[in-house]
Amino acid sequence: LCAAGALLLLLLLAAVALLALALPRLAASALSLWRSEDGGGCTCVFLHGAGNGYARPPLTSDPGYWGSVDDKLSGPCAEFIFMFEDTLHRGWTDERLQRRVCDLVTRPASESPRRRCTTIFAHSMGSLALAGALQSGLCALGEATAWYSVGAPWEGTEAAEALPELCGDSPPTDRGPVEPVLRALAKRVGFCDGPNGSVSSAYRALARSSPAFAGLRPWLGRVNGSMCGDSPFGLWSINSVELRALASWVNFSEKNDAVVPLSGCPAPAGAKLSRDPRGEHYLASVNHYDLTCRHGDGWWGKHRKPCTWYRAMAERAAAAAR
């Protein structure tokens, strides 16, 4: 009886092992079938936010900024284009930057007639640069182009107005232990990369007092979906403590993702943010960096799944183009 039990256990373990080996092939077959039915999926273009200190040709992946989002979107995205522009010394109102954005989001349709759709994911300042380009008439988005805005400060952010205290030779304040953490953050991400250690052009352009924001709000109605965050600490990551410290320094009067206040990241008129990661307008309990998918999904809770939202929106855009 013991021998029979042991044999049964071995058979069960062997079956589990075979199933584990077969699952990747089954998934690949399903993905291949999905692609053949969809005609190849969409071209997915990713526009990053502020902080890049130099420009280079577009990439096919950018794990430092976007994590493994390209792996997660394989299928509904048949081609990947990741912007890599100078968004430290050029603000979102810079015409050269806007023209580069236009080139990236409109080129797939002109160069690949067989590609029926383009899906844009624009994080933070990336959405502002695109909206500014549309507002200036530098380009237009076709009907087969879906635009998903992620953590965009449509009305600017108080964080940009608090940065001067961290830049240049400003004397230490009485903010307590968060100040050294934030001065290190400011140095690392280029907050103070302007002339003589002043606030960088890109971050300065995000101040709520900038009159350039006045003409952007109507373009919010063009977005097909949006994701915002309301937790400065967010998912547990290397950035959690410093972003929580930044939110404390800025002293937001409302929920925020450590960079953008929730009121400044609205859904279009008539739409509401929800906690469902498969919904078009998703409110996630994550911070500004988590919104890019660089830290993956949270281990628990539908309200902590930014990568799941990217996949859902990519599938939605590809399905709409069929």
Side-chain angles (χ1 to χ4, degrees), residues 9-136:
L9 179 59
L10 287 174
L11 289 173
L12 286 173
L13 290 174
V16 170
L18 288 173
L19 181 59
L21 290 172
L23 279 176
R25 294 184 179 182
L26 290 172
S29 298
L31 178 58
S32 176
L33 178 61
W34 195 99
R35 281 180 168 175
S36 65
E37 290 178 349
D38 181 62
C42 298
T43 295
C44 291
V45 182
F46 292 78
L47 307 178
H48 61 75
N52 248 20
Y54 64 99
R56 60 180 294 184
L59 308 174
T60 55
S61 66
D62 186 1
Y65 194 96
W66 297 96
S68 60
V69 70
D70 49 322
D71 291 335
K72 300 179 188 304
L73 271 57
S74 179
C77 295
E79 178 184 16
F80 293 91
I81 299 174
F82 289 84
M83 180 178 84
F84 202 100
E85 292 294 323
D86 183 351
T87 54
L88 190 59
H89 309 104
R90 296 180 182 179
W92 66 269
T93 57
D94 185 275
E95 184 177 332
R96 291 168 297 176
L97 176 61
Q98 292 181 358
R99 288 189 181 279
R100 288 295 297 131
V101 167
C102 281
D103 181 53
L104 291 177
V105 302
T106 60
R107 187 175 59 188
S110 62
E111 291 187 353
S112 303
R114 64 183 179 83
R115 193 78 66 217
R116 298 175 305 182
C117 52
T118 300
T119 305
I120 303 167
F121 291 105
H123 178 240
S124 193
M125 194 186 96
S127 264
L128 302 184
L130 176 55
L134 298 174
Q135 175 71 10
S136 300

Side-chain angles (χ1 to χ4, degrees), residues 179-264:
E179 185 169 348
V181 174
L182 292 180
R183 287 189 180 274
L185 172 66
K187 183 177 181 180
R188 192 179 78 249
V189 302
F191 283 162
C192 310
D193 207 39
N196 301 316
S198 61
V199 178
S200 304
S201 299
Y203 293 110
R204 190 168 60 248
L206 295 174
R208 300 194 79 162
S209 57
S210 171
F213 286 103
L216 284 194
R217 194 60 180 255
W219 292 103
L220 181 60
R222 174 58 180 82
V223 304
N224 298 81
S226 60
M227 175 166 55
C228 303
D230 67 356
S231 172
F233 188 87
L235 306 177
W236 185 269
S237 75
I238 193 172
N239 304 120
S240 297
V241 172
E242 60 189 14
L243 288 186
R244 182 65 188 87
L246 178 60
S248 176
W249 176 281
V250 176
N251 194 24
F252 289 100
S253 60
E254 58 180 297
K255 290 185 175 181
N256 60 87
D257 66 4
V259 176
V260 181
L262 189 54
S263 65

Side-chain angles (χ1 to χ4, degrees), residues 46 65-70 72-73 121 123 148-151 226-231 234-237 257 274-314:
F46 292 78
Y65 194 96
W66 297 96
S68 60
V69 70
D70 49 322
K72 300 179 188 304
L73 271 57
F121 291 105
H123 178 240
Y148 295 98
S149 179
V150 181
S226 60
M227 175 166 55
C228 303
D230 67 356
S231 172
L235 306 177
W236 185 269
S237 75
D257 66 4
S274 78
R275 292 293 191 182
D276 182 359
R278 301 195 64 82
E280 290 178 315
H281 302 287
Y282 179 40
L283 177 57
S285 292
V286 300
N287 63 40
H288 199 67
Y289 288 174
D290 296 332
L291 287 170
T292 63
C293 189
R294 74 181 67 171
H295 298 138
D297 276 340
W299 291 352
W300 49 267
K302 292 195 304 181
H303 59 299
R304 304 171 73 246
K305 305 290 185 184
C307 301
T308 297
W309 178 83
Y310 280 98
R311 175 76 190 193
M313 296 306 102

